[in-house]
Amino acid sequence: MPALHLIDAVKRRLHRDIVADPVLHARVLNLYLCGEAYPHAVDDYFPIEHVDCPDLASTMRAHMQDEDKHIALYAKAIEKLGCEVIDLDDSAIFNVVIRSHTPSPWRVEPGMDADARNDRIANFLAHAHFLEKRVAHSLEMHLDACAHSPSPYPGKAVSAVLSDENRHVAYTIDAVHDLVPRQRANDILAEHARAERRANLDFSSRTLLRLLREEADHWPAGRRPFFGAVAWAMRRMIAGA
Ligand SMILES: [Fe+2]
Ligand SMILES: [Fe+2]
């Protein structure tokens, strides 16, 4: 079995252990929530004012509103688990970790012509595409695990979020192809795919190690050494990803 498929199998087991404990479950929902809130922390997400195509601009506007709705859904799910939303530092925000692995900027600078603007917008949408795709994949595993959760609300919330995320995955890649010539679109997508691949290993391993350390009493007996070893194996895979 290739290493990444093995990691997926381990992650499915991990999500089952997480939803079995309300504190761990809330911590993980909090991670998803912080990603949803990230666009409000920066000024270069959703550069709608620079988008010439009215249809794309309105789809991006709806996308932003979806993410705000997701913040509320996660916050309510955390509350239903008897926990509170907590602020997390940048290293716990997947968007930030992806950015740290992404060489190209997407900020639209003043005075850029239409081609340069579209190139930057395509870079933002490629970043969003691979981010959304990974989040959707993670939510699928999480939703599966939620069937075994003692609380029904988080599963309902995650299911609603997942259907929006799948829509975001689809339109963002189409828009990249509409905004720039084919070869340029492929190059942009390849760069952001690689950044996200590395960030996924970086973020997952770091986050797992942190949860194993900070919530040591909440894991099933004997599971921490195994998940710890998996996290360190993921860290060794980053350079080759
Ligand atoms: Fe979302
Ligand atoms: Fe999304």
Side-chain angles (χ1 to χ4, degrees), residues 2-170:
L4 288 172
H5 290 167
L6 192 62
I7 288 175
D8 255 19
V10 172
K11 280 189 175 177
R12 286 185 188 278
R13 175 70 259 167
L14 182 65
H15 279 277
R16 290 281 284 270
D17 286 347
I18 284 165
V19 302
D21 182 280
V23 170
L24 286 178
H25 197 176
R27 287 288 305 260
V28 168
L29 294 176
N30 211 125
L31 292 168
Y32 291 126
L33 185 153
C34 286
E36 303 283 4
Y38 179 74
H40 294 288
V42 291
D43 62 2
D44 62 355
Y45 256 49
F46 295 104
I48 295 169
E49 70 276 22
H50 300 292
V51 173
D52 293 333
C53 168
D55 283 352
L56 178 59
S58 100
T59 305
M60 287 171 74
R61 211 166 284 120
H63 181 169
M64 280 178 75
Q65 287 162 0
D66 287 343
E67 306 305 13
D68 285 346
K69 186 179 76 188
H70 299 167
I71 297 174
L73 285 166
Y74 285 128
K76 187 164 177 198
I78 290 167
E79 186 194 313
K80 292 270 187 188
L81 290 166
C83 299
E84 285 180 5
V85 174
I86 50 174
D87 279 335
L88 296 174
D89 60 65
D90 278 0
S91 69
I93 300 173
F94 189 37
N95 315 50
V96 176
V97 179
I98 298 180
R99 294 189 86 142
S100 74
H101 290 278
T102 307
S104 294
W106 57 72
R107 179 186 299 281
V108 179
E109 303 290 355
M112 281 182 158
D113 65 19
D115 285 349
R117 277 201 314 270
N118 285 340
D119 197 276
R120 291 291 174 95
I121 296 163
N123 268 279
F124 166 70
L125 289 167
H127 161 77
H129 170 74
F130 291 106
L131 166 69
E132 300 274 356
K133 194 172 171 182
R134 182 70 66 184
V135 169
H137 182 56
S138 174
L139 289 178
E140 276 166 20
M141 290 191 278
H142 194 73
L143 184 57
D144 222 33
C146 278
H148 305 271
S149 169
S151 168
Y153 186 81
K156 287 182 194 162
V158 168
S159 173
V161 172
L162 178 58
S163 100
D164 289 342
E165 307 303 19
N166 282 329
R167 207 170 51 246
H168 302 160
V169 171

Side-chain angles (χ1 to χ4, degrees), residues 134-208:
R134 182 70 66 184
V135 169
H137 182 56
S138 174
L139 289 178
E140 276 166 20
M141 290 191 278
H142 194 73
L143 184 57
D144 222 33
C146 278
H148 305 271
S149 169
S151 168
Y153 186 81
K156 287 182 194 162
V158 168
S159 173
V161 172
L162 178 58
S163 100
D164 289 342
E165 307 303 19
N166 282 329
R167 207 170 51 246
H168 302 160
V169 171
Y171 98 84
T172 44
I173 193 164
D174 290 346
V176 172
H177 286 289
D178 290 343
L179 283 162
V180 293
R182 183 188 298 181
Q183 185 55 53
R184 181 63 187 141
N186 290 341
D187 291 347
I188 289 172
L189 289 166
E191 179 187 321
H192 289 276
R194 181 166 187 263
E196 191 282 331
R197 259 195 325 272
R198 296 169 72 112
N200 174 48
L201 291 163
D202 193 357
F203 174 82
S204 298
S205 57
R206 236 182 250 281
T207 305
L208 180 53

